[in-house]
Amino acid sequence: MDSKNPIDVRIIVEGASDVESISKAMRNIALGAEYHITISSIIPTTSSEIAKRAVRGADIVLIATDVDAPGRELAEKFQKVLKDEVGHIERMKLPFGHDVEYIDPYLIQNEIKNAIIRSGLTAIANIKLLRELELKVKESREEIRNLSQINRELETLNKEISFKHDEIAEANNKLNDKADNLNAKYNNLKNEFAALKSEYNDIQSKDLFEVFSINELWKDAFNEEMDNYEQIYFISNEFKPENILVGQNRIAALTEKDAVDWLKIIRTVLIFYDSKIEDLKEDFDKGKI
C-alpha cells in the first residue's frame, strides 16, 4: 500500500471560515493511515475557473457547501464544470448556519469520511462497468486486428484488381485501335463497293455487244452452210460497218437483228462480188445499200 502514491483528495469550500472549520476537524483524523489518502489542498472559492485550475489532476474532489439552497446550487455548478477535470466528485454537506467557533469538529470529520467512503463505493460500483469496458476494449482490439487483416487482404486484392484493370484497359485500347482500323477499312471497302456499283450500273445502262456464231446465223438466215469466212472478214474490213465486229468465226453486234442484217448485206455483196465489188462499195458509202 505504501509503495503506491496516496489518493489525492482536494476540498472546495465557499470561504475562508470554512477552511478553518475543515482544517480544525482534520487535526484528529488519520486519513493517510486509514485510507491511504492525503488531502492536498483546501480551496476557498466560488469561481468555476479558479476551481478548475486548482483541482486539475486530483483523484477525488469534495465540494463542501452548506445544506441550504445556495450551497446546493453552488455544488451542482461545480459538479458540472469539474466532471472532466478529476477522477471523482463528491458533495460534502456542512451544517446550515454553522459557526466556526462552536461547530463540532466530529461532525465535519464524519462528513469527510462519509464523503470519501461514498466515493469509494461509487468506484467499487464502477469496477464492474470498468471491467465490462475493458472487455469491450479487448474485443474492439481483436476486431481492429481482424479488420486490419481484412483491410490488408483487401488492399492486396485491390492492387491485383488495379493491375487487371490496367491490363484490361490496355487490351481495350488495342481493341479500340483495331476496331478503328477495321472501321476505316470497312469505310474504304464500302466506298470502293459504291464506286464499283456505280460503274456497274453505268455499264448496265449502256448498250453492250452480243456475240454470235457466223455459221449459225448464216445457216438460220439463209439455210446454207458458211464455207468462206475470209470473204466476210474482207468485206467487213473494207466497209467497216458501225457497231459490227467480225473475227474468229464470230460476229458481234448490239442485237442479233443487226448481225443478221449485216450478214444479209455481205451475202448480197458476195453474189455480185466478182464483177461489181467496187460499185457496191461506192453505193454502200453513199447509203444506197
Side-chain angles (χ1 to χ4, degrees):
M1 193 75 172
D2 294 336
S3 62
K4 297 181 180 180
N5 292 328
I7 297 172
D8 182 3
V9 178
R10 303 176 197 180
I11 302 175
I12 297 176
V13 296
E14 295 182 64
S17 60
D18 295 324
V19 173
E20 185 178 349
S21 298
I22 298 296
S23 298
K24 186 176 180 181
M26 288 176 57
R27 291 172 187 170
N28 296 318
I29 184 171
L31 295 177
E34 293 184 44
Y35 303 111
H36 195 60
I37 287 174
T38 181
I39 297 179
S40 60
S41 61
I42 302 172
I43 306 152
T45 184
T46 58
S47 168
S48 299
E49 291 302 319
I50 293 175
K52 285 174 68 174
R53 289 195 298 270
V55 303
R56 188 168 293 138
D59 297 312
I60 298 174
V61 172
L62 302 181
I63 301 173
T65 59
D66 290 343
V67 296
D68 59 359
R72 184 172 62 253
E73 291 175 0
L74 181 61
E76 290 175 353
K77 181 183 75 170
F78 281 145
Q79 285 175 327
K80 288 180 181 179
V81 299
L82 301 179
K83 62 181 180 179
D84 296 327
E85 304 294 330
V86 298
H88 180 75
I89 299 174
E90 189 68 34
R91 186 183 176 194
M92 175 181 150
K93 299 177 183 179
L94 296 177
F96 176 69
H98 58 276
D99 191 324
V100 176
E101 295 181 5
Y102 302 104
I103 190 172
D104 188 352
Y106 180 74
L107 295 177
I108 296 178
Q109 290 176 8
N110 284 340
E111 188 60 28
I112 292 173
K113 287 183 178 181
N114 290 336
I116 292 172
I117 291 171
R118 287 196 301 272
S119 299
L121 292 175
T122 301
I124 292 172
N126 288 332
I127 290 176
K128 181 180 179 182
L129 177 61
L130 179 61
R131 289 178 178 174
E132 290 176 353
L133 291 175
E134 288 177 346
L135 180 59
K136 288 182 178 180
V137 169
K138 183 179 179 181
E139 292 174 350
S140 297
R141 287 175 178 171
E142 183 66 24
E143 185 176 359
I144 289 172
R145 282 193 293 271
N146 293 335
L147 290 174
S148 297
Q149 178 62 29
I150 293 173
N151 184 62
R152 286 192 294 270
E153 293 174 356
L154 289 175
E155 287 178 349
T156 302
L157 180 60
N158 182 62
K159 290 180 180 178
E160 293 176 357
I161 292 174
S162 296
F163 180 74
K164 290 292 184 183
H165 175 268
D166 292 340
E167 286 185 338
I168 292 172
E170 183 178 358
N172 185 61
N173 290 333
K174 291 181 179 179
L175 289 175
N176 286 335
D177 293 339
K178 189 174 182 179
D180 291 339
N181 292 333
L182 290 174
N183 283 331
K185 291 181 179 180
Y186 168 76
N187 290 330
N188 291 335
L189 291 173
K190 186 176 179 181
N191 293 333
E192 291 178 5
F193 174 77
L196 290 173
K197 185 176 181 181
S198 176
E199 184 178 350
Y200 174 77
N201 290 335
D202 290 341
I203 293 173
Q204 286 291 93
S205 64
K206 294 179 180 178
D207 294 329
L208 299 179
F209 281 61
E210 295 185 61
V211 180
F212 308 96
S213 169
I214 294 175
N215 185 54
E216 291 179 0
L217 287 184
W218 194 276
K219 188 175 181 179
D220 291 341
F222 311 122
N223 196 25
E224 60 185 23
E225 296 289 337
M226 162 52 61
D227 56 2
N228 193 343
Y229 291 101
E230 294 300 327
Q231 291 179 342
I232 294 176
Y233 300 157
F234 175 76
I235 294 170
S236 297
N237 288 334
E238 287 293 325
F239 293 100
K240 295 181 175 58
E242 186 178 358
N243 295 327
I244 296 292
L245 296 174
V246 178
Q248 297 182 352
N249 302 336
R250 298 286 189 272
I251 180 170
L254 295 177
T255 65
E256 184 177 353
K257 181 178 181 303
D258 292 339
V260 172
D261 288 343
W262 178 245
L263 292 179
K264 286 180 180 181
I265 293 172
I266 290 176
R267 189 171 183 275
T268 303
V269 170
L270 290 175
I271 293 173
F272 300 99
Y273 180 81
D274 291 334
S275 60
K276 297 183 177 182
I277 186 63
E278 294 300 327
D279 295 337
L280 287 173
K281 181 179 179 182
E282 183 179 351
D283 291 341
F284 184 87
D285 291 337
K286 294 178 179 181
K288 293 180 180 182
I289 298 178

